Amino acid sequence: MTDKNDILNGLANAVVNGDKDKAIKFAQKVLEENIDPYEAITDGCTRGMHVVSEKYDNGEMFIPHIMLSSEAMNEAITVLQPHVDVERTKESGVAVVGVILGDIHDIGINLVSSLLKSAGITVYDLGKDVPYEDFIEIAKDVNADVIGLSAMMTTSMMGMKDVVKMARREIPDVKIMIGGGPVSRDFCGEIGADAYADDARDAIEIVKEIIKEDRRRKASV
Ligand code: B12
C-alpha cells in the first residue's frame, strides 16, 4: 500500500519533469490503489502543469520542456481517463468541439471531449487551430446540439465572439459552451455564449442539461 499523496505528488512531478515513463507508472498506481482517477488528473497532472506554467513565467522553463511535460500529461490521461466515473446520459446528443483558430493548446479540450464520449454523447472533435466557419459547417452537417469552444490564450479567445455571431445567424438552435484558461463566466455573458465551465466534469453536466432541456422543449411543442 502506497500513500495517496505520494502517488499524486509522483504524478505531478513526472509532469513537471516531462517524464513519460514515470507519468504512466504513477497513473497505473492510481488505478491499483483505487484512487479517484479524475482527482489524479486534477490534483496530479494539472497541478504539475501549473508548476510548469509558473516556471515558464519565471523564465526557468522553455517551450521544448513544456512540450515534454504535455506529452507526459497526455500519457497519464490516456491511462486514467477510461476509468473516470461518468454517469451516462439517457438522451442521445451531439457535440462539436475544438480549439479555436490560432490556438494549439488541446490538452484541456481532449479531456472534455473524451469525458463527453464516456457520458454517451456523440462527439465530433475538430482538434486544434480550427477556423471559425468549420465549427458552424460541421455543426450544421451533423445536426449538433452543442458547440464546445476552447481557448487558452487571451488573443485566440476573442475569436469565440465571431463563432457565436455566426452560429446565431446560421444555426440559432445550437447552444455554445466555452472554456479554457483565460475564459470566464463574465466573458461568456459578454460574447453572448450560452454556457461556461471551468472544468471538464462541469462541462459534461452542462451538456447533459442542455440536451435534456432541448428534448423537453421539443416534446412540449
Ligand atoms: C502546455 C502548454 C503549452 C503546450 C501545449 C501542448 C498541447 N498539446 O496542448 C505548448 C508547449 C505547445 C504551448 C505553446 C504555446 N503557449 Co502555452 N501553455 C501551456 C500551459 C503550461 C498548460 C496548458 C494546459 O494544458 N493546462 C492543463 C489543462 C488540463 O487545463 P486547461 O487547458 O485549462 O483545460 C481545462 C479547463 O480550462 C476546461 N476547458 C478547456 N477547454 C474547454 C472547452 C470547453 C467547451 C469547456 C466547457 C471547458 C474547457 O476543462 C479542462 C479540463 O478540466 C499553459 C499555462 C496554463 N497555466 O494554462 C501555457 C499558456 C496557455 N501558453 C501560453 C503561450 C503564450 C504559448 C505560446 C504562444 C508560447 C510561444 N511563445 O510560442 C505557444 C502558443 C502557440 C499557439 N499558437 O497556440 C500562455 C498564454 C498567455 C495568454 N494570456 O495568452 C500560457 C498561459 C503560459 C503563460 N503563463 O504565459 N503551450
Side-chain angles (χ1 to χ4, degrees), residues 20-138:
K20 269 197 227 174
D21 293 340
K22 280 211 172 125
I24 294 171
K25 194 184 109 198
F26 279 106
Q28 284 163 343
K29 267 188 177 296
V30 165
L31 301 179
E32 280 160 26
E33 297 293 332
N34 287 320
I35 298 167
D36 175 5
Y38 193 74
E39 189 184 345
I41 291 174
T42 53
D43 203 20
C45 301
T46 306
R47 182 158 56 89
M49 206 40 116
H50 282 135
V51 175
V52 170
S53 180
E54 276 168 21
K55 287 186 182 286
Y56 174 76
D57 285 345
N58 297 336
E60 293 168 51
M61 266 188 190
F62 301 96
I63 297 290
H65 191 117
I66 302 184
M67 290 180 87
L68 291 178
S69 294
S70 309
E71 283 169 25
M73 177 156 178
N74 273 331
E75 293 288 343
I77 289 178
T78 303
V79 175
L80 295 168
Q81 187 278 325
H83 301 273
V84 173
D85 191 15
V86 181
E87 199 191 323
R88 287 180 74 84
T89 162
K90 291 181 194 78
E91 344 264 351
S92 57
V94 179
V96 170
V97 303
V99 182
I100 201 147
L101 186 72
D103 199 325
I104 61 167
H105 296 90
D106 63 357
I107 299 176
I109 196 72
N110 287 346
L111 199 52
V112 172
S113 168
S114 43
L115 289 196
L116 279 173
K117 286 178 195 159
S118 306
I121 310 285
T122 303
V123 180
Y124 293 84
D125 187 340
L126 310 188
K128 55 197 172 195
D129 197 15
V130 180
Y132 308 154
E133 52 279 9
D134 286 13
F135 287 105
I136 310 298
E137 290 311 316
I138 310 276

Side-chain angles (χ1 to χ4, degrees), residues 195-207:
Y196 160 79
D198 67 356
D199 145 278
R201 250 192 180 154
D202 287 351
I204 308 317
E205 293 315 311
I206 290 172
V207 171

Side-chain angles (χ1 to χ4, degrees), residues 181-206:
V183 178
S184 65
R185 202 169 300 284
D186 284 351
F187 181 69
C188 175
E190 271 167 44
I191 65 167
D194 298 290
Y196 160 79
D198 67 356
D199 145 278
R201 250 192 180 154
D202 287 351
I204 308 317
E205 293 315 311
I206 290 172

